[in-house]
Amino acid sequence: LEEAAFQLQQIFRIDISIALNILGIESMRAGHCRVAFTCFKLAADRGYSKAQFNVGLCYEHGRGTEKDLEKAGFYYCQAASSCHPMAQYRYARYLLQHGPGSHWDRQHKAVTLLEQAAVAGITEAQAYLGVFYMRGLQPQEKRGLKYLLLAANSGDAQSRYHVGVCYEQGLGVQQDLAEALRHYRQSAAAGNRQARERLRA
C-alpha cells in the first residue's frame, strides 16, 4: 500500500507539472509572459525538466522576469542533468561563455554535453561541434566534418556551406571540387549568402 501511495503521489506530481508547463506555453503564446513564467517556475521547482528548460529560456531572454544569465544557467543545468537535449545544448553554450571554474573544466564538460545533445538530434549542437572541432587549437577535421554533415542533413544551410569548404580545401576528407560545388549549391538554394558568394568566386 505504501508503494502504491508513493506511485500515486509521483503520478499526481508529474501530471500537475505537465499541466502547469502547458499552461505556461499557452500563456506565453497569448503574450502573458509573467503568468507563463510563474507557471513554468512552479513546474520547474517540482523537478519537471521541460519546465526547467522553459524557466532557463525566460531568464536568458528576460521574458516574464528580469534577464539573469546565471539563473538561466542554473535551470539549464537542472534540465540537462535530466537528459533534456536542448537544455544540454544551452547549458554547454552557457558554460563556454559565462560559466564558473577553470576554462579547461568548463570546456570539457561543455563538449560532453554538446555531444550528448548532438547524438539526440539537436541540429544546433551538431553545427556547433562541427565548427568547434574544425577551429580548435588542435583541429580534429574528420570529427568536425562528421558533425557538420549531421547538421547539414538536418537542414542547416550554414553547416552545408562548411561541408562545401571541407571538400574544397580537403579538410577531413579528400579534396573534391565537384562535391564542394554540390554542397555550395544546396546551401545557396537554402538561402546561405556565403555559399552564393563562394559559387560566384
Side-chain angles (χ1 to χ4, degrees), residues 105-156:
D105 289 342
R106 284 185 293 130
Q107 185 171 321
H108 180 71
K109 188 171 183 179
V111 168
T112 301
L113 287 165
L114 285 167
E115 287 184 340
Q116 290 169 355
V119 167
I122 302 299
T123 305
E124 294 92 330
Q126 295 164 348
Y128 196 96
L129 273 176
V131 173
F132 177 84
Y133 282 126
M134 285 290 179
R135 294 184 180 166
L137 291 173
Q138 298 173 314
Q140 299 176 47
E141 293 166 354
K142 279 189 178 0
R143 204 169 193 178
L145 179 59
K146 178 187 101 169
Y147 284 111
L148 287 173
L149 277 167
L150 282 171
N153 292 335
S154 295
D156 186 54

Side-chain angles (χ1 to χ4, degrees), residues 5-17:
F6 176 75
Q7 292 296 335
L8 277 172
Q9 282 180 326
Q10 293 298 99
I11 290 165
F12 180 72
R13 187 172 64 84
I14 291 165
D15 284 351
I16 289 290
S17 300

Side-chain angles (χ1 to χ4, degrees), residues 56-177:
L57 284 176
C58 289
Y59 276 124
E60 183 179 358
H61 300 290
R63 290 192 199 130
T65 187
E66 292 292 313
K67 194 172 182 175
D68 188 325
L69 292 179
E70 201 172 310
K71 285 182 181 174
F74 172 78
Y75 280 97
Y76 286 148
C77 176
Q78 285 194 321
S81 68
S82 297
C83 298
H84 187 291
M86 192 51 124
Q88 290 170 329
Y89 167 70
R90 294 272 184 171
Y91 186 53
R93 293 286 305 265
Y94 169 79
L95 285 173
L96 290 171
Q97 295 165 9
H98 311 285
S102 77
H103 175 72
W104 171 250
D105 289 342
R106 284 185 293 130
Q107 185 171 321
H108 180 71
K109 188 171 183 179
V111 168
T112 301
L113 287 165
L114 285 167
E115 287 184 340
Q116 290 169 355
V119 167
I122 302 299
T123 305
E124 294 92 330
Q126 295 164 348
Y128 196 96
L129 273 176
V131 173
F132 177 84
Y133 282 126
M134 285 290 179
R135 294 184 180 166
L137 291 173
Q138 298 173 314
Q140 299 176 47
E141 293 166 354
K142 279 189 178 0
R143 204 169 193 178
L145 179 59
K146 178 187 101 169
Y147 284 111
L148 287 173
L149 277 167
L150 282 171
N153 292 335
S154 295
D156 186 54
Q158 184 67 24
S159 293
R160 182 71 65 192
Y161 164 76
H162 287 305
V163 170
V165 171
C166 290
Y167 275 101
E168 183 181 1
Q169 298 178 6
L171 302 171
V173 70
Q174 190 162 352
Q175 190 177 34
D176 185 334
L177 296 182

Side-chain angles (χ1 to χ4, degrees), residues 26-47:
E26 292 304 317
S27 298
M28 192 63 80
R29 283 187 185 140
H32 305 300
C33 298
R34 284 198 182 281
V35 173
F37 174 74
T38 301
C39 291
F40 292 146
K41 185 89 168 47
L42 285 167
D45 292 343
R46 290 169 165 267

